[in-house]
Amino acid sequence: MEIDPLIFRLSIFILSIFVGYYVVWSVTPSLHTPLMSVTNAISSVIIVGAIIAGLSGNSDSVFNTSSIFGFLAIALAAINIFGGFLVTQRMLAMYKKKKKDKQ
Amino acid sequence: MISSNLSAIFYLVSGVLFILALRGLSSPETSRQGNLFGILGMIIAITVTFLSTGNFSTGFIFVLLFILAGGSIGAFIAYRIPMTAMPELVAGFHSLVGLAAVFVAISAFLNPEAFNLGTPGNIKLGSLIEMSIGAAVGAITFSGSIIAFLKLQGIMSGSPITFKGQHPLNAIILISIIVLIYLLCSTQSSNLFWLLLGVSFLIGFLLIIPIGGADMPVVISMLNSYSGWAAAGIGFTLENTALIITGALVGSSGAILSYIMCKGMNRSFFNVILGGFGATEDTKSSSAKEQRPVKSGNADDAAFLMKNASSVIIVPGYGMAVAQAQHALREMVDTLKKNDIKVSYAIHPVAGRMPGHMNVLLAEANVPYDEVFELEEINNDFANADVAFVIGANDVTNPVAKTDPQSPIYGMPVLDVEKCKSVLFVKRSLSPGYAGIDNDLFYKENTLMLFADAKKMTEDITKNL
């Protein structure tokens, strides 16, 4: 009997939870804020669903109820992707080691 | 148009890059590279999606336009936001992820053919279950984050809003969500779908209003986790590996952060979620204890104490963020260092309004991260330090947590500030902290209270050094 592909996706999901568990425990506490902003950015990979939804209209009419929700989701996810990665970048650039004393 | 097998492999690659992005955060040196991995993963995921749909008609132009519009708003916010406003920003971003998940679910529900999920009214059962869970969690994330945002921004009062029958009401709504998902899957009725969304928005709102301002670190982490689970739910619907992996990563990340925050307060997760903490404490603290004598001083006294010290530990808290005192603080520390005084910073896990909040602010003020220590790393050093400079923190220094089993914060890990030879406590007044309890530290023999705005006091001390 064939295995339902859902089982494979479930396996990926469960294993990823474990990967996440170990990876996140190794994040240094001083970087917990950047961790939150970067997880924000990457969870916006939901944009792939939004793009499919946005492109669901046919050539006669780009906009239908379904694709409009897709386009809105694209804009929201894009705010998050750009905002999330850039603000993380900005924060991480501030973390500096002790400089050699200037005096 | 590329084959679905090939695109699945690319989605896997972008999932792995996201794992590496989080992995990079294990140290500040590798973190910047990690962030680039994340960006690369995102670019791959988006490009592959375009290639796999193979649709480069008018719709494609509109997709690009919307990405551009959203992207410029996001970039604008990212560059303009002050670092003290990070908690609000993150809460706001969570709400967007939640809403995007809801919109994608709506779109898939209205036009399942586009996603190969069946036809309207006859969506594959598995997909419908995944979709409705994703939509419900997304809606909870959205409305919950909006409330968290309003509370952090000060638009809504940070104090807990409680009413009679709150918990039973929430329980009923949560059960009704499960029932609605069951009914939706058996009838495929679109009315039930809209009802499910409405009820989920409502519960997100109701779950967050009873939680007070200082519990926001837990709330933000929890909503972070929810946004991940919502993404994973949608990932299952779309059979997309990148989304499933990311959802699981973000979900467990948020869960771990909530756990760390709860442990930092010695409270159980449910205790925080059920809320209302601190609302009943006022009567006790305002009566007898208020009359005890305190020593208060001015900037000159503080400067004198610090000048004669050989080591100083700084304990920052939310008050520092409110007063935007981090730069003034760094200047003070620079002056101290010129006088050969050893300075380090002690950060409590729940200092501020989100995990790592203080570290970011200190980093912004150019404080090297190897001078900043976590509670466990530095707690033993207080006994050997000459001066502890508490700026904007309160409950996290309260020795009552170690001595009085009756106290609501008993058992919470606290910084052993009182073990220092002398303690300088910058605060506006003697009012109790968030937990509504008096801080014993105020009345200790070796404590000098500095009643002033944190930023102004710090600047005055620097002048006097």
Side-chain angles (χ1 to χ4, degrees):
Chain A
M1 213 179 105
E2 251 187 86
I3 302 170
D4 190 324
L6 176 67
I7 306 298
F8 291 116
R9 285 192 284 277
L10 202 61
S11 321
I12 295 172
F13 180 63
I14 304 286
L15 291 175
S16 301
I17 291 177
F18 278 93
V19 171
Y21 179 86
Y22 289 105
V23 169
V24 171
W25 271 116
S26 74
V27 171
T28 165
S30 66
L31 292 177
H32 276 162
T33 300
L35 171 68
M36 300 202 86
S37 61
V38 85
T39 50
N40 233 314
I42 64 173
S43 57
S44 303
V45 72
I46 199 157
I47 197 168
V48 302
I51 292 173
I52 299 173
L55 292 176
S56 64
N58 52 38
S59 45
D60 307 326
S61 62
V62 174
F63 292 102
N64 56 45
T65 331
S66 166
S67 75
I68 287 171
F69 277 110
F71 283 121
L72 291 176
I74 290 173
L76 294 177
I79 295 178
N80 249 328
I81 293 172
F82 283 74
F85 280 125
L86 289 173
V87 87
T88 310
Q89 193 87 332
R90 207 181 126 200
M91 274 192 274
L92 293 177
M94 299 185 312
Y95 282 81
K96 292 186 195 85
K97 254 202 156 138
K98 206 176 294 186
K99 287 178 284 207
K100 285 129 229 145
D101 268 328
K102 276 178 261 165
Q103 289 83 31
Chain B
M1 191 156 169
I2 58 175
S3 81
S4 33
N5 281 338
L6 191 60
S7 55
I9 287 172
F10 277 117
Y11 284 133
L12 181 62
V13 170
S14 85
V16 171
L17 285 167
F18 291 150
I19 295 174
L20 292 176
L22 300 194
R23 182 78 189 94
L25 291 170
S26 57
S27 95
E29 286 106 81
T30 55
S31 62
R32 287 171 275 259
Q33 191 196 24
N35 201 39
L36 294 179
F37 281 137
I39 295 173
L40 184 63
M42 189 61 75
I43 293 172
I44 292 179
I46 293 175
T47 315
V48 168
T49 311
F50 283 139
L51 291 177
S52 65
T53 58
N55 175 350
F56 292 99
S57 59
T58 348
F60 177 70
I61 311 285
F62 278 101
V63 171
L64 287 185
L65 282 178
F66 276 91
I67 291 181
L68 208 65
S72 10
I73 298 172
F76 179 76
I77 298 172
Y79 282 112
R80 292 296 299 276
I81 192 93
M83 283 299 142
T84 38
M86 275 324 284
E88 293 94 302
L89 179 73
V90 168
F93 277 171
H94 286 155
S95 73
L96 299 183
V97 179
L99 195 60
V102 171
F103 283 173
V104 173
I106 293 176
S107 183
F109 185 79
L110 294 176
N111 188 2
E113 287 117 325
F115 297 86
N116 289 323
L117 306 175
T119 53
N122 191 18
I123 299 172
K124 280 188 272 177
L125 180 64
S127 310
L128 191 56
I129 298 174
E130 293 151 4
M131 190 191 299
S132 43
I133 293 175
V137 179
I140 295 172
T141 312
F142 171 70
S143 53
S145 301
I146 292 287
I147 300 298
F149 175 81
L150 294 177
K151 285 195 171 193
L152 287 163
Q153 186 80 0
I155 298 171
M156 200 172 145
S157 153
S159 52
I161 298 168
T162 49
F163 53 87
K164 242 193 173 144
Q166 194 164 26
H167 300 323
L169 177 70
N170 289 351
I172 291 170
I173 296 181
L174 283 173
I175 293 167
S176 72
I177 286 182
I178 297 167
V179 175
L180 275 171
I181 291 179
Y182 175 78
L183 290 176
L184 172 64
C185 293
S186 48
T187 63
Q188 305 245 356
S189 144
S190 56
N191 288 337
L192 286 176
F193 183 74
W194 300 118
L195 186 61
L196 172 69
L197 286 180
V199 173
S200 303
F201 281 129
L202 182 66
I203 188 71
F205 171 79
L206 288 173
L207 279 176
I208 308 301
I209 53 166
I211 306 181
D215 283 338
M216 280 303 149
V218 182
V219 172
I220 296 192
S221 318
M222 185 182 82
L223 292 166
N224 186 236
S225 182
Y226 286 0
S227 70
W229 304 131
I234 302 297
F236 274 102
T237 322
L238 306 180
E239 310 185 347
N240 183 304
T241 327
L243 253 177
I244 296 177
I245 295 178
T246 316
L249 288 179
V250 178
S252 53
S253 163
I256 290 171
L257 289 176
S258 334
Y259 170 80
I260 295 175
M261 293 302 113
C262 287
K263 232 179 123 220
M265 295 191 289
N266 188 40
R267 297 174 60 196
S268 76
F269 186 66
F270 284 103
N271 184 291
V272 175
I273 297 310
L274 295 178
F277 188 59
T280 52
E281 292 297 326
D282 304 284
T283 42
K284 201 172 81 186
S285 58
S286 54
S287 53
K289 287 181 175 177
E290 208 86 333
Q291 304 304 322
R292 290 193 282 169
V294 292
K295 280 198 292 186
S296 77
N298 56 29
D300 203 18
D301 306 325
F304 177 78
L305 267 171
M306 286 208 247
K307 228 187 292 182
N308 291 307
S310 61
S311 67
V312 173
I313 299 179
I314 314 248
V315 181
Y318 183 58
M320 180 188 81
V322 175
Q324 304 258 12
Q326 66 271 32
H327 298 281
L329 182 66
R330 212 283 320 274
E331 277 162 33
M332 185 187 90
V333 170
D334 281 350
T335 320
L336 289 175
K337 280 192 199 155
K338 269 183 218 157
N339 293 316
D340 280 329
I341 299 166
K342 187 177 167 283
V343 185
S344 35
Y345 298 80
I347 312 276
H348 191 276
V350 294
R353 286 291 186 264
M354 75 184 292
H357 192 185
M358 292 299 120
N359 303 77
V360 169
L361 294 182
L362 292 176
E364 186 200 11
N366 275 323
V367 173
Y369 61 82
D370 39 7
E371 287 175 11
V372 182
F373 298 93
E374 303 302 314
L375 179 124
E376 313 88 68
E377 297 172 312
I378 201 168
N379 227 2
N380 292 327
D381 298 353
F382 280 107
N384 304 318
D386 297 307
V387 175
F389 186 72
V390 183
I391 174 164
N394 186 358
D395 290 334
V396 299
T397 62
N398 196 340
V400 155
K402 290 176 284 191
T403 53
D404 180 10
Q406 302 302 316
S407 166
I409 61 166
Y410 181 70
M412 167 169 143
V414 287
L415 292 157
D416 296 334
V417 174
E418 77 281 359
K419 289 186 182 156
C420 268
K421 289 200 189 74
S422 42
V423 178
L424 296 169
F425 208 114
V426 186
K427 208 172 177 309
R428 294 224 194 134
S429 70
L430 267 189
S431 62
Y434 161 72
I437 39 170
D438 224 7
N439 192 340
D440 261 5
L441 199 58
F442 298 165
Y443 313 104
K444 294 265 184 201
E445 189 65 16
N446 57 352
T447 304
L448 188 66
M449 298 298 295
L450 306 167
F451 294 113
D453 173 72
K455 187 174 174 194
K456 195 172 175 306
M457 177 52 78
T458 318
E459 283 166 350
D460 288 350
I461 294 175
T462 315
K463 274 181 217 144
N464 280 302
L465 274 168

